[in-house]
């Protein structure tokens, strides 16, 4: 079932949302100081491309640096990407078949707002990093 949902996701919205993260990551990697945000953006792009069967967990070693980085990310790129997930999620929830895809879009909103200090793990091991 995960494979079918991921393929439908990829066709309907995954490719476009992942492309948004890749563009944000490339812009961040152009400037030397914003490379950590670029790496986080590429990590989220892979999650946005194939989200079913994976989830995010907080990293225990994340500290004040990731909090400050998340604030900067939120101001410059996070809210645009989160808005894209919200609009796409609402559009997908219009049909019965699209409801699981819309819920997956809403699941991506928190990580698009605050990507630093989070790790993507398979759903069968959500507590593996703790």
């Amino acid at each position: 079932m995960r494979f079918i949902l991921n393929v439908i996701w990829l066709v309907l919205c995954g490719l476009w949302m992942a492309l948004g993260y890749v563009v944000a990551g490339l812009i961040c990697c152009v400037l030397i100081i914003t490379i950590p945000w670029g790496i986080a953006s590429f990590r989220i792009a892979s999650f946005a491309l194939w989200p079913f069967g994976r989830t995010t967990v907080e990293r225990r070693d994340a500290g004040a640096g990731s909090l400050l980085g998340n604030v900067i990310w939120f101001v410059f790129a996070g809210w645009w990407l989160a808005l894209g997930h919200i609009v796409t999620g609402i559009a997908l929830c219009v049909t019965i078949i699209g409801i699981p895809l819309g819920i997956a879009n809403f699941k991506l909103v928190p990580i698009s707002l605050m990507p630093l200090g989070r790790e993507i793990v398979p759903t069968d091991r959500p507590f593996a990093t703790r």
Side-chain angles (χ1 to χ4, degrees):
M1 189 58 145
R2 288 182 197 162
F3 179 75
I4 294 170
L5 284 172
N6 277 323
V7 170
I8 295 170
W9 170 271
L10 184 67
V11 171
L12 293 180
C13 65
L15 190 62
W16 301 112
M17 292 308 297
L19 186 63
Y21 284 106
V22 168
V23 168
L26 288 174
I27 292 170
C28 288
C29 284
V30 168
L31 304 170
I32 301 300
I33 199 164
T34 57
I35 287 177
W37 290 282
I39 292 170
S41 184
F42 293 139
R43 188 176 61 239
I44 301 169
S46 72
F47 186 49
L49 198 60
W50 208 254
F52 293 99
R54 298 191 292 173
T55 189
T56 60
V57 294
E58 288 187 31
R59 291 179 48 190
R60 290 179 135 313
D61 59 348
S66 65
L67 176 67
L68 179 64
N70 281 331
V71 169
I72 294 169
W73 171 264
F74 177 81
V75 170
F76 290 107
W79 70 279
W80 285 103
L81 294 167
L83 185 65
H85 283 296
I86 291 169
V87 169
T88 308
I90 291 171
L92 286 170
C93 284
V94 170
T95 66
I96 292 175
I97 295 173
I99 290 175
L101 303 173
I103 291 171
N105 252 318
F106 298 138
K107 181 176 83 170
L108 284 167
V109 170
I111 195 169
S112 69
L113 289 174
M114 295 179 285
L116 301 176
R118 308 281 300 169
E119 189 173 355
I120 300 167
V121 296
T123 54
D124 56 347
R125 297 183 304 133
F127 301 107
T129 60
R130 294 183 184 183

